[in-house]
Amino acid sequence: MTDWTPKVVALDIDGTLLKWVDGQTEDYETITEPVYAAVHRALDAGAHIVLSSGRSPHGMTRIADLLDIPREEADQLWVVASNGAVVFRYPPMEVVHEETFDAAPAVAAVLEHHPRALVAVEEREVGGYRVNRVFPEGELSGEQVITHVDDIVGEPVSRVIVRDPEATADDFIELAARLGLHGTDYVVGWTAWLDLSPVGVSKASGLQHVCDKLGLSAADVLAIGDGRNDIEMLRWAGRGVAMGQAVDEVKAAADDVTGSVHDEGAALEMSRWFPQGS
């Protein structure tokens, strides 16, 4: 790929742009200078930066602000949120594509096995979430509005989070595989954190929507991520790169592996295509 240059750089946030330590509660949303500089070198070269995260939209706009993107006079940023279920432009936030589904059966199936699990869906109007009980500090951004589960999933939603602080990621991987969760796609996070989404929706499908609007294709995309929710994106992109701390399953889906987030892996990979002084 020596004669290839990315036209789109799709960047995961947590564990890729941001360093995160399990149990950390202080504000960790800090963009390091190497990452910031690499992003702006990509912009200087004419590439499109697309933030692509499992976060809900309101948790992504401040990351764009920390990166100072879009630049003044530039077109609105493209952002893929909620693991691909929501695509929006920013600023101001303008949702241009959203996929929803009936999550009630899948949530009921999970709660049958984990009755004390926490459930959340985005509440865009208040910049937070509707939750059945408050999540551990630092795990959700914005206000948490206590709501009965039946009301949380009583209408179609774009994404549901199910979290059991008393379980492990392996518990959820085994459970989700056993249940099948028909009509629903799912991804398990680093902990016992289950993201439920519409079938066929992933970061890859959200990025495909963006590429269609830009007149580009997957072959034009450099994608960098570290989580299980990045697997489809890494496989889909012309070049998919896993962060060094990713689990083996994620690394196996990638074309290459860069340094860990603590070694500025995202900046290292972007610098390969957009070097200093270029």
Side-chain angles (χ1 to χ4, degrees):
M1 300 183 73
T2 54
D3 59 347
W4 179 80
T5 302
K7 295 178 181 176
V8 174
V9 180
L11 297 169
D12 172 52
I13 292 177
D14 300 285
T16 299
L17 295 181
L18 303 181
K19 300 174 176 66
W20 185 79
V21 178
D22 193 16
Q24 178 175 322
T25 56
E26 67 272 15
D27 182 21
Y28 68 96
E29 294 191 335
T30 301
I31 300 292
T32 64
E33 191 281 331
V35 167
Y36 183 97
V39 164
H40 282 270
R41 287 197 303 274
L43 291 172
D44 289 341
H48 297 272
I49 297 293
V50 181
L51 299 179
S52 182
S53 174
R55 290 185 176 209
S56 294
H58 69 265
M60 298 181 70
T61 55
R62 62 176 172 270
I63 308 305
D65 293 343
L66 288 171
L67 286 165
D68 292 325
I69 52 175
R71 292 165 164 174
E72 286 189 31
E73 309 305 321
D75 289 342
Q76 288 173 293
L77 192 67
W78 284 96
V79 185
V80 174
S82 303
N83 287 325
V86 180
V87 177
F88 70 96
R89 307 295 304 274
Y90 177 76
M93 186 188 294
E94 174 193 352
V95 174
V96 297
H97 181 76
E98 183 167 13
E99 302 269 3
T100 61
F101 72 118
D102 177 9
V107 170
V110 175
L111 289 179
E112 185 176 339
H113 293 81
H114 291 264
R116 292 181 51 77
L118 311 176
V119 179
V121 299
E122 179 194 356
E123 184 63 58
R124 203 170 294 154
E125 289 73 18
V126 300
Y129 294 84
R130 285 178 284 150
V131 300
N132 63 337
R133 292 193 305 282
V134 175
F135 275 57
E137 186 176 358
E139 291 195 351
L140 293 180
S141 60
E143 183 180 353
Q144 297 185 42
V145 180
I146 303 296
T147 310
H148 193 277
V149 170
D150 291 346
D151 294 323
I152 290 177
V153 294
E155 57 187 30
V157 295
S158 56
R159 169 189 176 228
V160 177
I161 300 164
V162 183
R163 171 80 166 99
D164 187 349
E166 299 173 3
T168 67
D170 287 341
D171 291 337
F172 266 24
I173 291 171
E174 187 276 331
L175 175 65
R178 181 155 46 90
L179 292 178
L181 299 179
H182 300 293
T184 303
D185 274 352
Y186 67 88
V187 63
V188 177
W190 287 97
T191 59
W193 177 293
L194 185 67
D195 275 325
L196 302 173
S197 62
V199 168
V201 170
S202 67
K203 292 185 182 184
S205 66
L207 287 165
Q208 183 65 61
H209 183 86
V210 174
C211 283
D212 289 345
K213 296 296 185 182
L214 294 174
L216 299 172
S217 71
D220 298 308
V221 179
L222 165 64
I224 310 174
D226 74 311
R228 292 184 182 91
N229 61 335
D230 293 310
I231 287 174
E232 292 88 353
M233 174 178 79
L234 298 180
R235 287 175 175 159
W236 167 88
R239 178 171 170 83
V241 177
M243 297 293 289
Q245 81 279 2
V247 297
D248 289 344
E249 182 183 359
V250 177
K251 291 178 179 177
D255 298 300
D256 205 350
V257 179
T258 186
S260 76
V261 68
H262 298 288
D263 295 322
E264 308 295 356
L268 289 171
E269 174 61 24
M270 284 187 280
S271 295
R272 174 173 179 170
W273 311 103
F274 309 106
Q276 296 183 23
S278 60

